Amino acid sequence: MTYYLTLFDGKKKSFEEVEHVFNSLYHEDCIITDGEGSTRTREEMKQTHAKKLAMASKCTLLLFRVITFDTIEIKYRIVNDEEDKVVYQLLTTNGDNRVVKARVMVEESLEKDVIVCEKLLGSKFPSPSKNKRESAEGDGKRQPNEEEEGETAKRRKLGD
């Protein structure tokens, strides 16, 4: 998989130049599911990759992790004249190490903590700017603690 991503090096290519690598990587019955749950076939993915190669796309690998003997997690950034996005994939392989199932998600430009929470909980959080709580006082000033109040009282007594 990492070798295949290196073929997206920012130079225009025809898909025929890399088709043998694609064929050895993806099983003929491979099913691709996107973040919304829509499925695509291997042929549709082939067409998408051909377009990306023709646009001189450049991929930068951000994460490659083997989760189990048949599951791989990858994350990469793809950049071309039309897009600049981070793609996250969870790939399931068969005994021949060919991808039979791929879950592909494009990460939104969210804060890192929000993305991690969404993945863990499987839900969307509201935007941080929409639901800000205001303090009870509303003036934005920090309230002194008991120790600081005691010091202020001592200063007042000495200054009287």
Side-chain angles (χ1 to χ4, degrees):
M1 176 53 80
T2 56
Y3 175 70
Y4 183 68
L5 291 177
T6 62
L7 298 174
F8 292 83
D9 58 2
K11 298 175 185 167
K12 287 187 179 188
K13 290 186 174 111
S14 68
F15 189 74
E16 289 74 31
E17 294 177 61
V18 300
E19 188 169 15
H20 66 284
V21 179
F22 181 90
N23 290 337
S24 65
L25 186 61
Y26 291 96
H27 191 272
E28 292 79 18
D29 298 325
C30 181
I31 297 173
I32 299 91
T33 308
D34 64 15
E36 288 81 42
S38 303
T39 58
R40 296 184 305 164
T41 64
R42 179 177 182 259
E43 289 304 313
E44 291 171 318
M45 189 163 80
K46 228 183 220 191
Q47 293 170 358
T48 302
H49 287 203
K51 288 177 190 173
K52 304 241 187 260
L53 286 165
M55 290 191 299
S57 298
K58 179 164 178 61
C59 280
T60 305
L61 186 65
L62 303 172
L63 170 76
F64 181 88
R65 183 170 62 164
V66 177
I67 297 174
T68 63
F69 70 95
D70 66 345
T71 307
I72 301 167
E73 174 183 33
I74 64 169
K75 185 194 241 181
Y76 58 90
R77 179 177 177 204
I78 186 162
V79 180
N80 57 43
D81 291 337
E82 295 180 12
E83 61 189 355
D84 182 353
K85 60 185 175 183
V86 175
V87 178
Y88 172 82
Q89 293 185 346
L90 200 57
L91 307 171
T92 304
T93 60
N94 63 8
D96 296 332
N97 289 328
R98 294 177 74 194
V99 177
V100 291
K101 204 166 35 167
R103 173 103 169 137
V104 180
M105 293 163 280
V106 176
E107 291 189 357
E108 300 173 83
S109 58
L110 297 173
E111 294 174 10
K112 185 177 180 182
D113 293 340
V114 175
I115 293 171
V116 170
C117 289
E118 284 180 0
K119 285 181 182 175
L120 291 173
L121 299 175
S123 64
K124 295 273 184 191
F125 285 96
S127 172
S129 61
K130 290 181 183 175
N131 295 328
K132 286 188 177 178
R133 288 188 193 168
E134 292 188 24
S135 65
E137 294 79 21
D139 61 1
K141 294 182 181 177
R142 187 178 74 80
Q143 297 296 317
N145 61 28
E146 291 177 21
E147 187 178 309
E148 292 172 333
E149 286 177 358
E151 291 294 322
T152 306
K154 284 181 189 176
R155 279 191 228 128
R156 280 191 213 139
K157 288 180 184 176
L158 292 175
D160 288 21

